[in-house]
Amino acid sequence: MPRNPERRRVLLRAIAAYLAAIAVFASAVPATPSLAQAPGYVRAKLVKAGLMVGAGGGSGVLTYRGRDYPFRVSDLSLGVTAGASVSRLEGWASGIRQVSDFAGVYSSVGGGGAFVGGFGGVQLGNEKGVKIALQGPRAGMEFAANLSEIRISLK
């Protein structure tokens, strides 16, 4: 450090300005793509049947960062379930940091119904923080109020 008090102040101001510029630059630069979360578009076809205990399955496609990732769905629900239905759902998945976060066990509490035709929706969440909101038409006869465990696995 210089002994001259005026030069010392100038030097300290220059250092402070330099550190402030680094802080501004660091906060303005976005997170790297590997750490950033991006939404994914989800399309799925589900077939479900049950009487008290429901089971179902299906398949779908996650479109994430410009690429398509096919997946399988298996569903087990407990509660009041009667009938059978086919649903074509689509919507968005959020909280994905990498594609493997999408796979996992999702839980859902909900209900719905279809009598020949209808419209349904579901909100799901998994242990990795991924949230999925889907909606779409339903065909068949099904009435349900249940707790579901939905398992999604990437193909």
Side-chain angles (χ1 to χ4, degrees), residues 106-141:
Y106 289 80
S107 58
S108 169
V109 176
F115 184 73
V116 179
F119 194 81
V122 65
Q123 302 254 343
L124 306 169
N126 76 5
E127 69 277 1
K128 297 173 191 164
V130 176
K131 305 280 186 230
I132 302 175
L134 301 171
Q135 60 184 16
R138 208 181 250 188
M141 275 181 46

Side-chain angles (χ1 to χ4, degrees), residues 46 53 60 111 123 129 137 139 148:
L46 304 173
V53 175
Q123 302 254 343
S148 295

Side-chain angles (χ1 to χ4, degrees), residues 60-82:
V61 175
L62 166 68
T63 302
Y64 180 69
R65 295 188 186 221
R67 294 190 58 203
D68 289 343
Y69 298 92
F71 62 88
R72 287 190 186 104
V73 179
S74 60
D75 172 18
L76 177 63
S77 58
L78 298 173
V80 179
T81 301

Side-chain angles (χ1 to χ4, degrees), residues 30-99:
T32 62
S34 63
L35 297 176
Q37 296 179 1
Y41 185 72
V42 180
R43 295 176 312 277
K45 178 182 177 186
L46 304 173
V47 177
K48 188 174 180 182
L51 182 60
M52 296 308 280
V53 175
S59 61
V61 175
L62 166 68
T63 302
Y64 180 69
R65 295 188 186 221
R67 294 190 58 203
D68 289 343
Y69 298 92
F71 62 88
R72 287 190 186 104
V73 179
S74 60
D75 172 18
L76 177 63
S77 58
L78 298 173
V80 179
T81 301
S85 68
V86 175
S87 300
R88 293 189 185 277
L89 303 172
E90 52 186 71
W92 293 94
S94 61
I96 301 172
R97 292 177 194 251
Q98 55 191 8
V99 175

